[in-house]
Amino acid sequence: MMSGTWSKLKKTLLFKSNPAPASSSHLPNQSDSSPPRLSPLPPSLPASPAASAPAHVPSRPPQQFLVFLNCASSFDINTLGPFPHASFILRKTCAICLGNVRSGQGQAIFTAECSHTFHFSCITDSVKHGNYLCPICRSKWKEIPLQLPSANADANRNAAGRARVSPYQAPFEDYPANYSRPQQQLPSHQPEPVRYADDEPLPVSSMDPMMSASCAPSNNVFVKAIAEFPAVAAPESVSDFAVLVGVRAPPLLDDARQYERAPIDLVTVLDVSGSMAGSKLVLLKRAVCFVIENLGPADRLSIVSFSSSAHRKLPLLRMTGRGREDAKAAVNSLFSDGGTDIVEGLKKGARILEERRERNPVASIILLSDGKHTFDCLPARRCHQNPTSSNLPHILGLTNMLPRSLCSNIREFLNENNQHSFPVHAFGLGADHDSSTMHAISDASGGTFSFIESVDMVQDAFARCIGGLLSVVAQELRLSVTSASPGVEMDSIPSGRYASEISDQGLRAVINVGDLYADEEKEFLVRLSIPECPIAESVGTVGRTSLLKIACSYRDTASKAMVKLEGKLVEIRRPEVVSQTDREVSLEVDRQKNRLWVAEGIAKAQEMAELGNLEGAQAVLAERRTTLLTSASAQAGDGLCSWLEAELTEIRERMENMAMYEHTGRAYVLSGLSSHSWQRATTRGYSGNVTTIRREGGSSSYSAPVAYDTPSMVSMVSKSQSQSAKFTREQVSRQNQSAPVSNA
């Protein structure tokens, strides 16, 4: 199409013109050996070129113009100003789309006051974007062509199907006095369906409930149960005796990664408000593209953006080659503008998962925002999430506006509709986001909250999250605990945000864990009462008391079959007198008690800080640290205890004063509480795969792994960091190559 246009232009110049004069004041010097330099259109030209044409118009095109036509692949009408032939040529060509403007071709033609002619659809679109001057001669129009918008019009094409070329933007002083310069129009959003039942079908293999036995993993979930002490004196009755009950998922082999894990339906809900402009949006796009590249062909992704309103940018598509291209195109189309309506973004994200026709086993939402919800919230009316912010009514109102499918504790709705809740993994970016609200949203839905202190950590934070989501090897995991002897009764199970229930007067209990990542471990303390035991009559015989019987059930993601593990029995010896060895606490139980002790202390300190009592908060943290360091597991050099010490030290520094606490301290603390309550890794501050542990007084420091990180998370974060480092090296190399070389 374009080559035909150039051919017509050259024929018009060569065969429909008279010989040219020897010189022209508009042309460069013919003897100049350098290429012709085309000057821009003069700032002011006569309103009617025909009425004020020069006495002698050169009818043969100068050689420079022919060179220009032969070499150009496209052109801007403004570059034709130096050539007197430009107006004559463009009388038969629309200067916007370069199409023919002859009548009788089924297109409306608009002839302006200055006698220049355009396709009506082209010029009305130009006017719609604020161009009130003639694109050719720059004359001011008294009559402005207008056209009602068409629902089926393509913003990037004219009526002839040709790509539009943006006309010259006139300066503000060239606009008519009765017009104010319109603001730049942002890209329009594609119309969305009434129901989001347009998800791409799943591959047949992922929908087939019968899978080969060869796909089953070689290892089952490992169940462990450890008593706090190996023995209790027979004549004694003990209360608050702790038994550690834990599960550990099998590893995910690299050569079978796509077959042993559960595929995922993932929706990213992204803040693109005005505050996300600049490097934030650039790095966010890069981070989402990293997610796209690491999803498998059975995984599906949908993208939702929100500012003052929410828009679905990508339907739920499989991440095949074509799907990745569409997803990256959707990401690159994002632009920043407007306010921050988090609720509308989450509602749209939840609808995509609720209304999909087919379902992958894992479904989750990633939410990122750098600001505060700027729209009114309704009064609290449903579920209380125990937020600890001073702005409690606002948070309760906002969380109660969430869809029911994002509230994990509304069991009645979920059971009636045979649905699971969709966890929202929330990411608060920078110091200005509403960490209390983001934490409440994630907590209500069963997800985690991460605090990204620096914008360049967005990709690593997303990497840690999907490193877990892309490694789910067990689902619907449920621990059943039963009393194994008369008089042994369970009193409490501090299980964090995992639902647990004790029934039959302490004889039975269940803990619902749900999804388990590869190599992920969950540990719970069951506190119980132990009665006295009759002393053994036989000499040298030591009695035994069976405490608990542990059972586990879960759905294996490879075989899709339910697996039941029975018969884990916990026993202790009941000698008449316990020995010194029997008084030594289990280090595994002790480290778990330390974790709970520290987490409870952090929550208490955070409540005090919200009330302005930073001195009391500091005292609580100092006390917990002292108790931690004197514990048996800390004395033995346990890695988790060292990490807990570093966490307490960091929180104390971020609670040094109220300004520092409100700036980053609150977000850091809430991210840590989210991590402890789910026993799942989150991003906090600047943390990568390791965290720096500073000794008291800053005398020494060393690095330790981030708590709750799994091998899949560590691997994905390392991959992200390697990619970022490679990008930085390439960027530096390009800058060095483009830098001018100075001669000595």
Side-chain angles (χ1 to χ4, degrees):
M1 178 67 72
M2 187 64 70
S3 61
T5 302
W6 297 129
S7 178
K8 292 178 181 179
L9 288 174
K10 288 187 285 185
K11 287 180 180 179
T12 302
L13 289 167
L14 292 172
F15 301 112
K16 294 187 178 182
S17 303
N18 296 322
S23 63
S24 174
S25 59
H26 291 284
L27 299 178
N29 191 341
Q30 299 281 353
S31 62
D32 190 355
S33 60
S34 61
R37 181 179 180 86
L38 302 180
S39 61
L41 192 68
S44 177
L45 287 177
S48 177
S52 57
H56 180 74
V57 177
S59 57
R60 179 175 175 82
Q63 184 66 25
Q64 289 88 339
F65 191 42
L66 293 179
V67 171
F68 166 75
L69 290 178
N70 287 325
C71 297
S73 59
S74 62
F75 75 95
D76 188 333
I77 182 59
N78 301 314
T79 64
L80 299 179
F83 302 103
H85 294 273
S87 179
F88 174 76
I89 296 170
L90 294 171
R91 288 175 185 175
K92 295 184 179 181
T93 304
C94 176
I96 298 177
C97 72
L98 306 182
N100 197 300
V101 290
R102 292 176 180 175
S103 59
Q105 296 184 350
Q107 298 187 55
I109 304 299
F110 174 79
T111 301
E113 305 160 20
C114 56
S115 76
H116 293 127
T117 305
F118 311 88
H119 291 124
F120 187 81
S121 58
C122 293
I123 198 63
T124 53
D125 188 72
S126 175
V127 170
K128 181 179 67 175
H129 286 80
N131 305 300
Y132 300 118
L133 305 179
C134 176
I136 299 177
C137 67
R138 302 284 308 285
S139 63
K140 299 178 182 179
W141 289 340
K142 295 180 181 179
E143 296 180 3
I144 306 298
L146 297 175
Q147 184 181 39
L148 293 176
S150 172
N152 298 324
D154 187 344
N156 297 319
R157 299 277 172 178
N158 63 11
R162 299 183 178 92
R164 291 196 174 109
V165 179
S166 298
Y168 182 79
Q169 280 281 8
F172 182 78
E173 58 269 17
D174 286 340
Y175 280 87
N178 58 337
Y179 284 100
S180 61
R181 183 186 179 110
Q183 295 183 356
Q184 181 182 3
Q185 187 171 13
L186 297 173
S188 59
H189 298 282
Q190 296 295 328
E192 299 182 13
V194 177
R195 283 183 58 84
Y196 295 130
D198 56 353
D199 53 300
E200 184 175 358
L202 298 175
V204 177
S205 58
S206 66
M207 295 187 296
D208 186 4
M210 302 299 295
M211 294 186 65
S212 173
S214 61
C215 294
S218 57
N219 298 319
N220 287 324
V221 170
F222 174 73
V223 181
K224 67 178 179 181
I226 303 172
E228 183 177 10
F229 296 97
V232 172
E236 297 180 4
S237 61
V238 180
S239 60
D240 199 30
F241 188 91
V243 174
L244 174 68
V245 177
V247 291
R248 184 182 181 91
L252 194 61
L253 302 178
D254 291 336
D255 56 353
R257 185 168 295 273
Q258 294 296 332
Y259 302 99
E260 293 185 5
R261 73 168 178 89
I264 184 174
D265 286 340
L266 180 64
V267 179
T268 58
V269 180
L270 309 174
D271 184 351
V272 292
S273 59
S275 60
M276 286 292 295
S279 61
K280 287 184 180 180
L281 187 59
V282 171
L283 292 174
L284 173 61
K285 290 181 179 182
R286 190 187 303 172
V288 179
C289 286
F290 177 84
V291 174
I292 293 170
E293 293 167 358
N294 285 278
L295 293 176
D299 302 315
R300 299 189 297 180
L301 175 70
S302 179
I303 299 174
V304 173
S305 66
F306 69 91
S307 52
S308 299
S309 58
H311 303 276
R312 189 189 70 167
K313 309 298 290 186
L314 182 77
L316 198 60
L317 298 181
R318 291 174 53 204
M319 288 298 98
T320 56
R322 177 63 183 272
R324 287 194 178 99
E325 291 178 2
D326 292 343
K328 291 180 180 180
V331 171
N332 291 328
S333 72
L334 298 177
F335 59 92
S336 58
D337 180 65
T340 308
D341 196 342
I342 298 175
V343 171
E344 284 304 309
L346 287 174
K347 284 182 177 179
K348 196 170 290 287
R351 279 187 55 204
I352 292 172
L353 294 178
E354 291 169 357
E355 298 172 4
R356 56 192 164 148
R357 296 169 300 177
E358 300 177 9
R359 297 170 183 264
N360 264 327
V362 180
S364 188
I365 294 175
I366 287 180
L367 167 68
L368 181 137
S369 178
D370 74 328
K372 296 176 173 59
H373 183 79
T374 55
F375 293 82
D376 293 335
C377 300
L378 299 178
R381 64 179 184 273
R382 198 160 65 226
C383 52
H384 181 65
Q385 303 302 331
N386 296 320
T388 55
S389 171
S390 57
N391 196 12
L392 183 61
H394 169 81
I395 297 175
L396 288 177
L398 190 146
T399 54
N400 286 316
M401 292 175 66
L402 297 178
R404 291 185 173 184
S405 59
L406 300 187
C407 286
S408 59
N409 60 344
I410 306 181
R411 297 180 182 176
E412 297 81 5
F413 168 80
L414 299 176
N415 292 336
E416 290 174 3
N417 294 271
N418 193 27
Q419 289 187 2
H420 297 284
S421 62
F422 306 128
V424 177
H425 298 284
F427 295 82
L429 176 59
D432 296 328
H433 77 278
D434 189 345
S435 57
S436 298
T437 297
M438 297 287 280
H439 175 260
I441 290 172
S442 64
D443 199 48
S445 65
T448 57
F449 167 63
S450 292
F451 168 43
I452 308 175
E453 190 164 1
S454 173
V455 66
D456 57 5
M457 288 292 298
V458 175
Q459 182 170 300
D460 290 350
F462 280 10
R464 173 173 283 110
C465 181
I466 66 169
L469 293 175
L470 298 181
S471 65
V472 175
V473 294
Q475 293 186 287
E476 304 172 33
L477 192 143
R478 178 186 178 100
L479 281 169
S480 300
V481 187
T482 307
S483 172
S485 296
V488 176
E489 299 176 356
M490 289 171 278
D491 301 322
S492 65
I493 304 177
S495 56
R497 290 293 297 157
Y498 292 104
S500 62
E501 182 180 5
I502 299 176
S503 59
D504 293 347
Q505 297 180 345
L507 300 182
R508 298 181 184 275
V510 293
I511 306 172
N512 292 311
V513 177
D515 292 351
L516 207 59
Y517 301 159
D519 289 294
E520 191 173 34
E521 194 169 7
K522 308 292 182 184
E523 295 182 340
F524 307 96
L525 287 184
V526 180
R527 302 185 183 276
L528 46 83
S529 301
I530 302 176
E532 299 178 4
C533 177
I535 300 176
E537 297 180 0
S538 303
V539 178
T541 302
V542 178
R544 306 184 71 87
T545 299
S546 298
L547 300 180
L548 300 173
K549 185 177 181 180
I550 314 299
C552 175
S553 63
Y554 64 94
R555 183 177 300 278
D556 178 71
T557 59
S559 64
K560 294 183 173 58
M562 290 299 299
V563 179
K564 294 185 178 181
L565 304 176
E566 300 282 354
K568 191 70 176 181
L569 188 64
V570 184
E571 291 183 327
I572 57 172
R573 294 182 293 106
R574 303 302 301 271
E576 185 174 357
V577 178
V578 295
S579 64
Q580 184 63 33
T581 304
D582 293 335
R583 299 180 185 274
E584 294 180 359
V585 65
S586 166
L587 294 183
E588 292 192 63
V589 175
D590 186 65
R591 71 195 294 267
Q592 189 62 208
K593 293 177 70 174
N594 285 336
R595 187 188 70 83
L596 294 174
W597 172 254
V598 169
E600 291 169 0
I602 293 173
K604 185 176 181 180
Q606 201 259 347
E607 292 177 1
M608 291 182 173
E610 293 295 334
L611 298 175
N613 184 10
L614 290 181
E615 183 178 353
Q618 291 276 0
V620 170
L621 296 173
E623 175 199 5
R624 301 293 162 134
R625 180 179 179 275
T626 300
T627 304
L628 169 68
L629 294 179
T630 57
S631 66
S633 54
Q635 293 289 326
D638 179 74
L640 177 62
C641 293
S642 299
W643 191 89
L644 293 172
E645 178 195 357
E647 182 181 22
L648 290 172
T649 302
E650 182 72 19
I651 293 175
R652 289 185 65 186
E653 292 180 359
R654 293 178 185 259
M655 287 186 177
E656 185 175 346
N657 53 65
M658 188 55 66
M660 184 176 296
Y661 173 71
E662 292 180 347
H663 185 64
T664 62
R666 178 185 289 118
Y668 186 90
V669 171
L670 290 176
S671 179
L673 291 176
S674 175
S675 182
H676 286 304
S677 64
W678 294 108
Q679 298 186 55
R680 186 158 281 170
T682 61
T683 298
R684 305 187 222 176
Y686 296 99
S687 63
N689 276 341
V690 296
T691 183
T692 300
I693 299 176
R694 291 188 294 271
R695 293 298 187 186
E696 187 75 10
S699 58
S700 62
S701 64
Y702 62 98
S703 297
V706 176
Y708 311 119
D709 259 347
T710 67
S712 297
M713 292 179 177
V714 173
S715 176
M716 193 65 73
V717 174
S718 298
K719 185 176 182 180
S720 170
Q721 293 172 344
S722 298
Q723 186 185 85
S724 298
K726 180 181 178 181
F727 177 83
T728 301
R729 289 193 302 269
E730 292 175 349
Q731 193 174 34
V732 171
S733 177
R734 286 193 298 267
Q735 291 175 353
N736 292 336
Q737 292 176 1
S738 61
V741 179
S742 59
N743 296 324

